Amino acid sequence: MTRFAALRFAICIIAIIANNFITNAQMPPRGGAQVSVLGWADDTHFLIRTFDAEKKPVVQNVDIKTGKAIVVPSLKSERELLSEALPQGITLTYKDVVSPDMKSVVLTRENDLFIFTRGDRKPERLTNDKFEEVNTCFSPDGKKLAYTKNKDLYVYDLNGKKETRLTFDASDKVYNGYSSWVYMEEIIGRSSHYTAFWWSPDGNRLAYLRTDETDVPVFTLNRLDEPDGIHGLIEATPYPKPGDPNPKVKMGIVDIASAKTTWVKTDYDVDQYIAWPFWTPDSKSLAIQVVNRDQNDLKIILADASTGDYKQIYEETRKTWVEFHEDIYVMNNGTGFIVRSSSNDWENLYYYGWDGKLISQITNLDFRITDIERVDEDKKVLYFSATGKESTDKQFFRVGLDGKNLLQLTGGNGTHDVNISPKGDYFLDTWSSIESAGS
């Protein structure tokens, strides 16, 4: 039997469900410091932070089966250990990027890149020119870097210590791998920081947007957020008003070894939005979302990374509007992808194959699904959060990938934020409601 545990921040704080028994442990009452869950130590032990009589933080390791807790030394994350290993005077900033294995960090300093690995005495310089590298990103295997410079796309081989320029036609109106303002603000999102390139899973290719704003009218801004905010700064930027031409975009797929770009064969002259791509697990194909100018028709096309030829594998239309799907789950076993769509007026989950055929409608609910929490491909089950019947709630559910055996795992009105154990045998439920703030 699958086992679950719920950590509930309320009067009865911890409910542990395993092997058909329940144990309750009482958390300290809400006071001057908030009790919090730090995460999992392993699949049967989790960590919480409480406070002693002097209100100093205390970390406890809790046995999920018995509810017994022991005090343990405060553990530092890999990022904290890496930060502490940096030479004196160097601290991590938002521009610095940590490697997938959390052992190295690429620092942006003096408009150049430096790499530091735990155990090194000082950072090693990677680049040395007058132009700043922007939006540096490790490849999935941690062996390469991708970034833009002067709005052209580059890659850096960390083993060979070699920088390779991948595009060559950037200008004040043309960008490669760097989005326009309107794409950053309205489509890709501010958290992208203008990043418009995406590594393939095997690290051998980069997909990127080429943007041309030549036909976009210029809008004049008075920047009051500059240091001299009293007088402002005049800035002219391409900015499409309703009815104006949008930036022209197309998706390129560049092979890192040859530095050759293959263009996905969409119609460059059609006024449409192209964004939010996702790779197939074998890195041979790229799925791309395409929305028309009226924003009431969304298509997903699947492009061959070698030829640029594509086929349509998904379409969603509405009388009002559609939105890009930002949380598509790609099945690691190569069978397809799961999309959270409101095509039936509620956000439900649909499982599609790469051939465009619907494998299963996983849910058919009359309330809103908010998040896919985890997909257990081996057990063929999916865990998700949704409002349930009360629109202000957040509940936790499990369902089979075939749409069968739907089960609500949390109960009681309010917000249930879950933290699933590494192997998926248990979950912690941090709860609060309009009537109770929790611990």
Side-chain angles (χ1 to χ4, degrees):
M1 177 182 294
T2 302
R3 297 165 295 173
F4 295 93
L7 176 68
R8 184 168 297 173
F9 283 80
I11 297 175
C12 180
I13 302 300
I14 303 176
I16 302 170
I17 306 172
N19 296 332
N20 298 319
F21 69 85
I22 297 177
T23 51
N24 294 323
Q26 195 74 19
M27 294 289 287
R30 188 178 182 90
Q34 178 73 36
V35 178
S36 58
V37 177
L38 300 181
W40 291 89
D42 53 45
D43 201 59
T44 58
H45 296 82
F46 62 92
L47 303 174
I48 60 172
R49 183 184 63 209
T50 59
F51 295 86
D52 61 18
E54 298 178 354
K55 298 191 182 303
K56 295 180 180 180
V58 176
V59 176
Q60 298 185 46
N61 183 307
V62 183
D63 188 310
I64 199 75
K65 297 180 179 180
T66 66
K68 294 182 179 179
I70 60 172
V71 175
V72 296
S74 181
L75 300 177
K76 294 180 179 179
S77 68
E78 291 288 343
R79 185 180 179 88
E80 288 175 321
L81 293 172
L82 180 59
S83 181
E84 291 179 356
L86 289 168
Q88 186 175 4
I90 299 178
T91 57
L92 295 181
T93 72
Y94 77 94
K95 291 184 178 181
D96 303 328
V97 56
V98 178
S99 62
D101 64 3
M102 305 295 286
K103 304 298 182 184
S104 302
V105 60
V106 171
L107 309 165
T108 300
R109 301 292 187 275
E110 303 170 7
N111 279 356
D112 282 312
L113 298 181
F114 298 77
I115 190 168
F116 177 83
T117 301
R118 283 170 58 180
D120 291 348
R121 296 183 60 186
K122 63 179 182 179
E124 176 188 358
R125 180 184 286 271
L126 300 178
T127 62
N128 190 3
D129 56 50
K130 63 180 181 179
F131 300 114
E132 182 181 6
E133 291 76 19
V134 178
N135 293 325
T136 304
C137 180
F138 276 93
S139 60
D141 60 9
K143 296 179 180 180
K144 307 181 194 74
L145 303 172
Y147 46 85
T148 56
K149 186 158 48 178
N150 253 4
K151 298 178 181 176
D152 264 323
L153 185 61
Y154 290 73
V155 68
Y156 192 98
D157 185 335
L158 290 170
N159 291 331
K161 306 297 182 185
K162 180 183 178 182
E163 180 186 74
T164 301
R165 185 175 181 176
L166 300 174
T167 63
F168 297 87
D169 63 342
S171 67
D172 61 336
K173 295 292 183 68
V174 174
Y175 328 129
N176 292 296
Y178 188 93
S179 77
S180 64
W181 180 89
V182 71
Y183 259 67
M184 179 280 299
E185 179 72 16
E186 303 292 347
I187 297 177
I188 302 177
R190 294 182 182 181
S191 61
S192 70
H193 300 290
Y194 293 90
T195 303
F197 61 82
W198 300 266
W199 279 106
S200 63
D202 63 8
N204 292 326
R205 291 184 171 103
L206 279 165
Y208 68 95
L209 276 182
R210 182 187 186 275
T211 300
D212 186 345
E213 293 197 293
T214 301
D215 297 332
V216 180
V218 172
F219 184 76
T220 302
L221 300 170
N222 185 12
R223 293 287 297 274
L224 298 177
D225 59 338
E226 295 300 311
D228 186 7
I230 298 176
H231 302 97
L233 176 70
I234 300 300
E235 177 181 326
T237 186
Y239 185 99
K241 292 294 189 74
D244 286 340
N246 273 319
K248 289 186 175 181
V249 295
K250 59 181 179 179
M251 189 71 70
I253 302 172
V254 60
D255 177 75
I256 302 302
S258 66
K260 177 185 176 182
T261 291
T262 298
W263 297 106
V264 178
K265 297 175 182 177
T266 53
D267 191 337
Y268 194 54
D269 294 322
V270 173
D271 193 356
Q272 59 190 4
Y273 306 97
I274 298 175
W276 289 98
F278 52 100
W279 289 91
T280 56
D282 61 8
S283 300
K284 294 180 178 179
S285 301
L286 180 74
I288 306 162
Q289 301 184 54
V290 182
V291 173
N292 65 336
R293 177 66 186 259
D294 290 341
Q295 299 183 45
N296 58 10
D297 182 274
L298 177 145
K299 296 180 175 66
I300 299 179
I301 61 175
L302 187 66
D304 187 306
S306 299
T307 66
D309 295 327
Y310 70 85
K311 63 180 180 180
Q312 181 179 313
I313 59 172
Y314 179 86
E315 184 172 18
E316 183 177 332
T317 60
R318 294 179 66 81
K319 293 180 180 180
T320 50
W321 71 87
V322 296
E323 295 183 287
F324 284 98
H325 297 296
E326 302 178 11
D327 60 350
I328 287 177
Y329 178 87
V330 176
M331 297 290 289
N332 293 310
N333 60 19
T335 57
F337 60 94
I338 297 170
V339 60
R340 181 167 60 96
S341 168
S342 56
S343 58
N344 71 344
D345 294 331
W346 295 100
E347 288 179 295
N348 277 290
L349 300 174
Y350 301 82
Y351 179 10
Y352 280 87
W354 293 114
D355 58 2
K357 295 180 180 179
L358 180 66
I359 296 174
S360 65
Q361 181 173 343
I362 299 175
T363 62
N364 187 20
L365 306 171
D366 59 357
F367 50 81
R368 186 166 60 91
I369 293 176
T370 55
D371 299 284
I372 297 174
E373 300 293 351
R374 180 177 295 187
V375 179
D376 190 327
E377 297 186 22
D378 292 332
K379 296 178 181 178
K380 295 181 172 55
V381 295
L382 181 148
Y383 301 92
F384 65 90
S385 292
T387 62
K389 294 295 184 180
E390 181 59 56
S391 63
T392 56
D393 280 358
K394 182 181 180 182
Q395 304 287 351
F396 184 49
F397 298 79
R398 183 189 68 199
V399 67
L401 291 178
D402 57 3
K404 299 178 180 179
N405 301 315
L406 175 68
L407 178 65
Q408 182 172 331
L409 298 171
T410 55
N413 291 343
T415 298
H416 298 264
D417 289 313
V418 300
N419 188 326
I420 304 173
S421 66
K423 294 181 181 179
D425 291 333
Y426 305 94
F427 71 91
L428 307 178
D429 176 14
T430 305
W431 171 84
S432 64
S433 76
I434 194 171
E435 297 176 343
S436 173
S439 68

